Amino acid sequence: MTTTTKTASGDDGSLPPSIVYIIDDDEDVRQSLGSLLRSVGHRVEVFNSPHEFVDARRENIPSCLILDVRLRGESGLAFQQSITKIAPHIPILFITGYPDFEMSVKAMKAGAMDFFSKPVREQEMLDAVTQALRRDAERLSFESSTAELRGRYESLTPKEREVLEFVLAGLLNKQIAYEMHVSEITVKLHRGQVMRKLGAQSVVDLVGQAQLLGLKPRTPSRRS
């Protein structure tokens, strides 16, 4: 590997909490990659085999996995398939000392982010790791936001949820009132609570949130 000075840090020079896992049965490769990544501020954990990785405790922070294709007695490609049970979303960067086009195509089709031949070019690996960690950070942020939104939705009363479903169907307040056998002012109050609890600023916001939650409009049961 050639020496590089470019780091993967942000504009302020710091790195967000994240971790890079390395699985390779070649100690020299583990040490070389580990040293490279640590030199630019990454936290790194190395493993001799997939079994060690499976048994290790993993934190719920942005992460990625650098995985050797050919491991002693095991296949990195086979492990890529089984890892979906323990870390289904982790971005995988494959490395191999025996480049094979069909193998790389198979890995990429199965979801790998990149495929590198040994010896790895340092800057290419650093760039790929930065991209992988960024993608995983975006996923975790999205999941966190969705979980928070789900909690807000759960705080709605049954009547508020019913109003929300009619709003998603495009009904006006007077039409919703007709469907629910309540006054229009009652609908307005429920609708205001829905907007407040979900933190929506407009109907467009409301529709976007409903889509994230997988909510469906309620079909009017009567002509209104």
Side-chain angles (χ1 to χ4, degrees):
M1 293 187 179
T2 57
T3 304
T4 182
T5 57
K6 182 178 178 181
T7 69
S9 60
D11 294 338
D12 61 353
S14 62
L15 289 170
S18 60
I19 187 166
V20 181
Y21 300 108
I22 300 172
I23 302 178
D24 197 303
D25 55 14
D26 188 321
E27 184 176 359
D28 290 338
V29 172
R30 294 197 304 271
Q31 290 183 351
S32 179
L33 280 175
S35 296
L36 169 66
L37 294 166
R38 293 187 184 98
S39 72
V40 296
H42 286 299
R43 179 181 165 193
V44 180
E45 289 189 14
V46 299
F47 303 93
N48 182 55
S49 70
H51 299 292
E52 290 184 0
F53 175 78
V54 170
D55 293 339
R57 177 180 174 273
R58 288 175 297 281
E59 299 179 46
N60 191 34
I61 59 176
S63 60
C64 70
L65 171 62
I66 299 175
L67 177 62
D68 190 11
V69 172
R70 299 178 186 272
L71 298 163
R72 193 172 295 112
E74 300 178 80
S75 165
L77 292 176
F79 182 62
Q80 180 189 21
Q81 302 300 318
S82 63
I83 198 177
T84 56
K85 299 177 182 178
I86 59 172
H89 304 293
I90 189 168
I92 297 178
L93 307 173
F94 273 107
I95 55 175
T96 181
Y98 307 92
D100 181 286
F101 179 75
E102 291 185 5
M103 183 188 300
S104 63
V105 170
K106 183 178 180 180
M108 300 298 280
K109 284 185 175 180
M113 279 197 65
D114 220 326
F115 200 98
F116 296 94
S117 299
K118 298 177 184 177
V120 176
R121 294 182 179 179
E122 291 187 346
Q123 195 57 59
E124 289 183 2
M125 175 58 74
L126 291 176
D127 291 342
V129 166
T130 296
Q131 183 180 358
L133 292 176
R134 182 181 296 117
R135 188 178 81 172
D136 203 42
E138 291 172 351
R139 174 189 64 83
L140 288 171
S141 177
F142 175 78
E143 290 180 353
S144 176
S145 298
T146 303
E148 179 183 356
L149 182 59
R150 173 64 63 179
R152 292 181 181 182
Y153 173 75
E154 295 296 335
S155 73
L156 298 180
T157 66
K159 288 295 184 183
E160 290 166 354
R161 295 183 189 184
E162 188 175 359
V163 168
L164 171 58
E165 291 167 3
F166 280 129
V167 170
L168 296 177
L171 271 62
L172 302 175
N173 286 346
K174 63 180 181 180
Q175 295 172 313
I176 298 174
Y178 183 81
E179 289 290 333
M180 295 179 63
H181 303 285
V182 297
S183 67
E184 190 172 343
I185 187 64
T186 298
V187 172
K188 288 181 179 179
L189 290 173
H190 285 320
R191 186 166 178 163
Q193 284 292 87
V194 170
M195 299 290 284
R196 182 186 65 80
K197 289 182 179 180
L198 294 183
Q201 302 299 315
S202 65
V203 173
V204 173
D205 284 347
L206 209 58
V207 171
Q209 292 173 340
Q211 290 176 338
L212 286 176
L213 295 172
L215 303 179
K216 303 295 182 181
R218 176 174 296 213
T219 303
S221 58
R222 305 189 302 165
R223 294 181 63 184
S224 52

